[in-house]
Amino acid sequence: MPGFLLRVCLLLAVESGAALLLCDAGAPWIPVLLGVFVLGSAVPHGTSAEFGGRFLVACVAVGAALAGAAAWEEYGRPGAGLADWSVRAATAVLLLFQTAVLLRLSRRRG
């Protein structure tokens, strides 16, 4: 279980940093998202995850970083309404799905 917690914390730190970088209008988004993808695919190292599992974790990490950046931009705007709620819900669903996938990959024995 400590390996799982380390993987989740590492991925959350990378996604949070990417979300903060993507909030800047002049940020180079391609290298940021590429870095999130590469680190997201490396997080399941030490598990029996093959290409499919690593690709899924990496794609969800990129989606969570993008949704987190959109949620962070909407947070400061007054009266965002339903758009604000949907972006936050999408971020929460992606992070929950990512945690479930990492838990499944961490518990599986090769």
Side-chain angles (χ1 to χ4, degrees):
M1 198 58 108
F4 162 71
L5 293 176
L6 180 64
R7 287 181 183 100
V8 169
C9 288
L10 179 64
L11 203 50
L12 285 175
V14 167
E15 290 166 349
S16 299
L20 289 175
L21 284 174
L22 291 173
C23 285
D24 185 22
W29 59 274
I30 292 176
V32 171
L33 293 180
L34 184 60
V36 170
F37 187 85
V38 168
L39 286 171
S41 66
V43 164
H45 182 69
T47 66
S48 61
E50 305 238 350
F51 175 76
R54 290 177 183 270
F55 187 76
L56 182 64
V57 170
C59 287
V60 172
V62 168
L66 287 173
W72 191 262
E73 287 178 5
E74 292 291 326
Y75 184 71
R77 293 184 186 161
L82 188 60
D84 185 31
W85 182 85
S86 63
V87 170
R88 289 182 186 174
T91 306
V93 167
L94 282 170
L95 291 176
L96 184 64
F97 181 72
Q98 170 185 298
T99 304
V101 169
L102 279 174
L103 180 62
R104 171 101 172 139
L105 291 174
S106 295
R107 294 182 55 101
R108 189 178 351 162
R109 301 284 178 218

